Amino acid sequence: MSTDVQSVVPAAQPSQEAAGGDAGGGASLGKGAWDCDNNCEIPPEKEAEVFEEIATMEFDFEGIPTIPPRKNMTHMAFFCDGCRYRVEAYPDWTAAQVKQALFKGGIQRSNNPNRVTPGINKWEDIDIIYAGQNMQNDKKLMEYNVPPGCKTMVAIEGAKLAPGAKPDPDSAYWN
């Protein structure tokens, strides 16, 4: 059964600040998720349902419930600065198309006010990574063997990957 986010996420679209969109709290600090298709927060109590992470006995392991194989093949998930972003995307899309969908959907809300880099200000500022490979804009996700419905990709500000780039002052790197 595919989960329709419209039935899970309230129709009202809160402002980015009301949804924890500022980097001073909420999802940007390792909590929460964002629905890029509707540009709104996914409530914490609905995350497991939206991302199909509810253990069932459908494929139990020695009587222990497990997470069944994903059924929603139309949405992918990207981790960016501690938040998970859900967006409709397909393996035959180019990396540029996915970056544009992420940007249009509000991924720039992950910008840290204490950053040492310029931030995500346009879709071209985003790099996406799968299996350790930084995807080129003109290549399709299927060229990197990204499966439909993949939930394990990274979206990151490209400037953070530049030679000599330093982590933000409040990064765990400095701990």
Side-chain angles (χ1 to χ4, degrees), residues 3-160:
T3 303
D4 176 18
V5 79
Q6 291 295 341
S7 66
V8 177
V9 178
Q13 296 182 8
S15 71
Q16 291 180 1
E17 281 70 32
D22 63 326
S28 63
L29 292 177
K31 299 176 184 173
W34 192 258
D35 178 3
C36 289
D37 298 327
N38 297 302
N39 202 1
C40 66
E41 181 179 25
I42 297 171
E45 66 275 8
K46 298 293 185 180
E47 271 189 65
E49 182 180 348
V50 170
F51 289 100
E52 300 178 305
E53 297 171 335
I54 298 173
T56 69
M57 293 300 287
E58 186 177 350
F59 295 98
D60 69 293
F61 176 74
E62 297 181 359
I64 301 170
T66 63
I67 307 295
R70 63 184 173 271
K71 294 179 176 84
N72 181 335
M73 300 296 179
T74 62
H75 287 84
M76 295 185 178
F78 294 81
F79 292 90
C80 183
D81 284 338
C83 185
R84 191 162 38 166
Y85 292 84
R86 179 182 191 263
V87 66
E88 183 173 352
Y90 302 92
D92 63 348
W93 282 19
T94 64
Q97 287 175 287
V98 175
K99 292 176 185 184
Q100 290 165 9
L102 286 165
F103 186 79
K104 182 180 175 190
I107 199 167
Q108 67 276 13
R109 67 190 281 285
S110 70
N111 285 336
N112 183 338
N114 300 319
R115 67 185 177 264
V116 294
T117 56
I120 297 174
N121 299 303
K122 56 190 183 299
W123 72 265
E124 294 92 340
D125 295 336
I126 303 168
D127 279 17
I128 52 178
I129 299 169
Y130 177 72
Q133 300 176 85
N134 192 341
M135 299 184 201
Q136 300 303 308
N137 286 337
D138 60 339
K139 291 195 174 185
K140 294 182 179 193
L141 273 58
M142 65 176 54
E143 294 178 55
Y144 295 97
N145 300 312
V146 175
C150 183
K151 307 286 190 254
T152 59
M153 286 183 277
V154 172
I156 187 169
E157 178 188 351
K160 291 182 177 180

